Amino acid sequence: MTERHDRNEQHERPGQHGRSGGPRARRAPEELRSHQWYGTDGLRSFSHRARTRQLGYLPEEHLGKPVIAILNTWSDINPCHQHLRERAEAVRRGVWQAGGFPLEFPVSTLSETFQKPTPMLYRNLLSLETEELLRSYPVDGAVLMGGCDKTTPALLMGAASADLPTVFVPAGPMLRGHWRGETLGSGTDMWKYWDDKRAGLIGDCEMAELECGLARSPGHCMTMGTASTMTGAAEALGVTMPGASSIPAVDSGHSRMAAAAGRRIVEMAWTDRRLSTVLTREAYEDAVAAVCALGGSTNAVIHLIAMAGRSGIGLTLDDFDRIARTTPVLANLRPGGKYLMEDFHYAGGMPGFLSRLRDHLHLERPTVAHDTLREQIAGALVHDDDVIRTAGDPLAAEGGVAVLRGNLAPDGAVIKHIAAEQHLMKHTGPAVVFDDYRTMQATINDPDLGITAESVLVLRGSGPLGGPGMPEYGMLPIPDHLLKQGVRDMVRLSDARMSGTSYGACVLHIAPESHVGGPLALVETGDLITLDVAARTLRLEVDDAELERRRAAWRPPGRRYGRGYGALYEEHITQADTGCDFAFLARPGEVPEPYAG
């Protein structure tokens, strides 16, 4: 996508600095993008002004001012974003204070909790909506409001394609959960106690209490799940206000941050500080380092690759593995560690965390708030060395995510090894294969399957096409009889994803997926499979001649969707190793500005 970057460079004027992020000249009102809609003498501009009067605005409220779009993913069905109606008002306040003209736009909400089969099916739809909305309206800059897993990458993917001045406002984590004197982490402790219930250790009364104590406020999961990983990655990229990603959703500091974002975006619109000047290769590499050092979600691999692709940057699985091998885990956060996001925030948040990761970062790149990342984290402090570790006392010597390859995953697979039992990191066992998730649910406890602690559970038909949408099925349940024996982890393989709040020796994102004839489609129950995380290998112990025989007998499944968005998705979705974007959105190419006259 270098063509788009070259085009954007042409917008820099004398006295401005492009990718350096340095001082920029303030534009004249006639140079604002919105001037095409409002400022000419033609009939269309007259109509636009008249319709703005219809909205109840005076000319002096908007003419000659930057128009700021506030893209809000609030909805009644998304508890992670329950508070974003009020936060949008804080953003609006900041925009007005800075002399801009704020307009709120409702966009799709992707609720990880409720949307089926998975909001991942709709990530690209929200990205497309974001891109086209910003392009087609009289917008000079944008504030993006999200946080629940897929909303962060979706909004930033669309905004990167539109390439206007942009600030991201993270929804923020919910408060800690509580139950009978224990501190609970949403998602992570749900899986833990559900297994305890299946093992007969707790009953319905305890579960009813847990139901009321697990998620106690607005905000996204307060563990280092996908939501916290992606909002942390957004801050590491430099597209948020400093410290924004860890502020608890209900903390008054969250409102102050939202207002500050509103003030900042007006200045960015005046100086035309576009998103492409912030989302550089160095920024994406720093985001990968941050994810690794956070012990973050495996979902970040797919999302960051897709986001980088929209920025014209070829981020790969090999980049993740290269960076992970030299980046220590410094955040002691569940599910791989002990603490929750509230603790992380009070310990210093991302500024403090990044200050301890500085030797692994590109400090001279710009952010939306500062000319350099070095300036942004200067003076940042850490107040609890157990929550945010020092480089000399890491939680783990290497980043928490590893990339695997082998004859079972020729295009790669990932594992969050920091959240797994370490004795399983080198393991050979017989496969027990499930062709789809429903069959697995119905039969996992069948004693005739002969599942033991040494077995390797294999789920296929759950990838980008097969899922559809690559649902979070990858943390396959351990059979009841093994739970009752005290088994809490097993090697599990799939072409699915798993929740960032999940844990266990789960190999995910196997590519190519089984639905398109990847080697996972050829595995049979009883085949030996070897996982070796240190060697970064995943191997099916079946000779090549036998695999070729099975491949010749394999038949592709039929199309699932006859029409609608699902059909569009099936026609254009890419595989996990390239980010699961739509091919027509990811490819380079010019998109003309709309003619507003």
Side-chain angles (χ1 to χ4, degrees):
M1 288 189 170
T2 53
E3 295 93 334
R4 188 176 69 232
H5 286 171
D6 292 341
R7 185 176 77 248
N8 291 341
E9 296 289 337
Q10 296 169 8
H11 288 275
E12 304 298 343
R13 283 169 297 283
Q16 290 184 318
H17 298 277
R19 292 198 173 280
S20 71
R24 292 161 171 257
R26 184 183 175 96
R27 293 193 287 179
E30 294 76 20
E31 296 178 277
L32 293 172
R33 184 173 179 271
S34 57
H35 180 78
Q36 301 173 53
W37 276 261
Y38 285 121
T40 68
D41 293 328
L43 173 63
R44 292 298 179 186
S45 282
F46 171 81
S47 173
H48 299 150
R49 293 192 298 270
R51 292 301 188 178
T52 306
R53 303 299 159 269
Q54 181 185 8
L55 291 169
Y57 293 108
L58 295 167
E60 55 266 32
E61 291 185 88
H62 73 98
L63 290 179
K65 297 181 178 182
V67 178
I68 304 300
I70 304 170
L71 271 59
N72 194 348
T73 53
W74 171 90
S75 86
D76 273 331
I77 196 64
N78 195 334
C80 304
H81 298 176
Q82 184 180 351
H83 57 305
L84 290 188
R85 253 185 178 174
E86 290 76 19
R87 295 299 177 272
E89 290 303 311
V91 175
R92 188 188 299 270
R93 184 176 80 237
V95 172
W96 282 121
Q97 288 170 347
F101 180 57
L103 294 172
E104 186 176 355
F105 293 77
V107 291
S108 301
T109 193
L110 305 182
S111 173
E112 198 65 35
T113 307
F114 291 103
Q115 194 168 28
K116 307 302 178 190
T118 169
M120 184 64 178
L121 186 67
Y122 303 102
R123 184 199 67 181
N124 299 339
L125 181 62
L126 174 55
S127 79
L128 182 59
E129 180 183 15
T130 298
E131 175 182 352
E132 296 305 323
L133 186 152
L134 294 178
R135 181 173 286 116
S136 59
Y137 280 96
V139 172
D140 300 301
V143 175
L144 313 176
M145 305 188 70
C148 190
D149 296 14
K150 311 305 177 293
T151 55
T152 299
L155 290 167
L156 286 170
M157 287 164 67
S161 294
D163 196 25
L164 297 177
T166 302
V167 176
F168 182 74
V169 171
M174 68 179 84
L175 298 178
R176 304 180 185 96
H178 286 283
W179 176 68
R180 295 189 179 184
E182 292 188 34
T183 298
L184 301 179
S186 62
T188 300
D189 282 308
M190 177 185 72
W191 312 118
K192 174 182 180 293
Y193 285 109
W194 189 256
D195 282 351
D196 283 352
K197 180 180 186 296
R198 292 172 58 220
L201 300 177
I202 60 175
D204 291 341
C205 291
E206 290 86 351
M207 293 304 291
E209 292 176 13
L210 282 161
E211 205 172 279
C212 297
L214 195 62
R216 300 172 43 246
S217 79
H220 59 67
C221 291
M222 71 305 239
T223 53
M224 187 43 67
T226 304
S228 294
T229 300
M230 292 311 302
T231 54
E235 184 166 341
L237 283 168
V239 297
T240 75
M241 301 305 291
S245 63
S246 64
I247 304 172
V250 295
D251 193 300
S252 63
H254 199 267
S255 293
R256 296 193 296 272
M257 176 272 294
R263 291 192 296 274
R264 180 59 187 154
I265 189 58
V266 175
E267 180 60 26
M268 291 174 64
W270 276 124
T271 58
D272 200 21
R273 190 170 188 150
R274 300 192 180 201
L275 197 54
S276 58
T277 67
V278 176
L279 294 181
T280 61
R281 168 165 284 281
E282 292 78 12
Y284 282 108
E285 289 187 351
D286 288 354
V288 172
V291 166
C292 292
L294 287 167
S297 167
T298 51
N299 288 309
V301 178
I302 292 175
H303 296 321
L304 283 172
I305 287 174
M307 291 161 62
R310 295 295 188 91
S311 298
I313 294 164
L315 194 68
T316 69
L317 288 177
D318 290 337
D319 291 318
F320 273 86
D321 199 54
R322 169 180 56 83
I323 294 170
R325 286 178 182 270
T326 59
T327 305
V329 179
L330 302 183
N332 188 6
L333 299 171
R334 301 183 197 182
K338 176 181 178 182
Y339 296 101
L340 297 171
M341 287 302 295
E342 241 183 298
D343 307 301
F344 182 77
H345 180 65
Y346 299 139
M350 284 297 289
F353 170 80
L354 292 174
S355 74
R356 290 195 165 173
L357 197 63
R358 65 172 64 243
D359 291 344
H360 300 268
L361 303 175
H362 300 86
L363 298 176
E364 303 310 319
R365 62 180 177 87
T367 70
V368 299
H370 291 89
D371 290 337
T372 66
L373 179 62
R374 183 187 301 279
E375 180 184 346
Q376 180 155 313
I377 63 176
L381 300 174
V382 174
H383 310 293
D384 190 325
D385 289 338
D386 194 36
V387 178
I388 301 175
R389 300 291 186 90
T390 64
D393 182 32
L395 195 68
E398 289 189 3
V401 175
V403 175
L404 310 173
R405 296 187 187 273
N407 69 344
L408 195 48
D411 290 339
V414 300
I415 183 171
K416 188 174 180 176
H417 55 93
I418 193 174
E421 292 188 9
Q422 293 306 297
H423 73 278
L424 295 171
M425 295 300 91
K426 186 172 184 179
H427 178 84
T428 299
V432 179
V433 180
F434 302 94
D435 285 323
D436 61 81
Y437 190 69
R438 292 186 187 184
T439 300
M440 183 278 299
Q441 283 183 307
T443 61
I444 188 69
N445 292 314
D446 186 346
D448 290 341
L449 294 178
I451 299 174
T452 72
E454 300 301 309
S455 300
V456 175
L457 303 181
V458 177
L459 174 66
R460 56 189 173 211
S462 301
L465 271 171
M470 212 178 176
E472 294 183 338
Y473 293 163
M475 187 181 171
L476 278 67
I478 295 170
D480 289 354
H481 71 278
L482 292 180
L483 289 173
K484 291 173 182 176
Q485 295 171 24
V487 176
R488 286 295 185 271
D489 200 3
M490 296 175 65
V491 175
R492 290 159 276 181
L493 316 181
S494 73
D495 46 15
R497 298 176 299 109
M498 79 175 184
S499 167
T501 65
S502 301
Y503 51 85
C506 302
V507 178
L508 310 158
H509 312 179
I510 292 177
E513 66 174 307
S514 59
H515 200 82
V516 299
L520 195 66
L522 311 179
V523 182
E524 295 181 358
T525 293
D527 291 345
L528 290 178
I529 293 175
T530 297
L531 166 67
D532 189 336
V533 173
R536 299 297 200 263
T537 57
L538 180 67
R539 179 166 180 81
L540 179 62
E541 304 295 351
V542 175
D543 64 61
D544 292 343
E546 173 61 15
L547 289 179
E548 285 303 317
R549 184 192 68 78
R550 296 181 188 180
R551 185 171 285 108
W554 181 81
R555 296 292 178 269
R559 294 284 295 270
R560 183 179 283 107
Y561 292 96
R563 58 164 303 282
Y565 173 73
L568 176 74
Y569 177 94
E570 285 188 324
E571 289 169 7
H572 296 285
I573 194 67
T574 63
Q575 288 291 293
D577 60 303
T578 55
C580 297
D581 201 356
F582 287 161
F584 69 90
L585 293 176
R587 69 187 179 217
E590 296 290 334
V591 178
E593 276 282 292
Y595 177 61

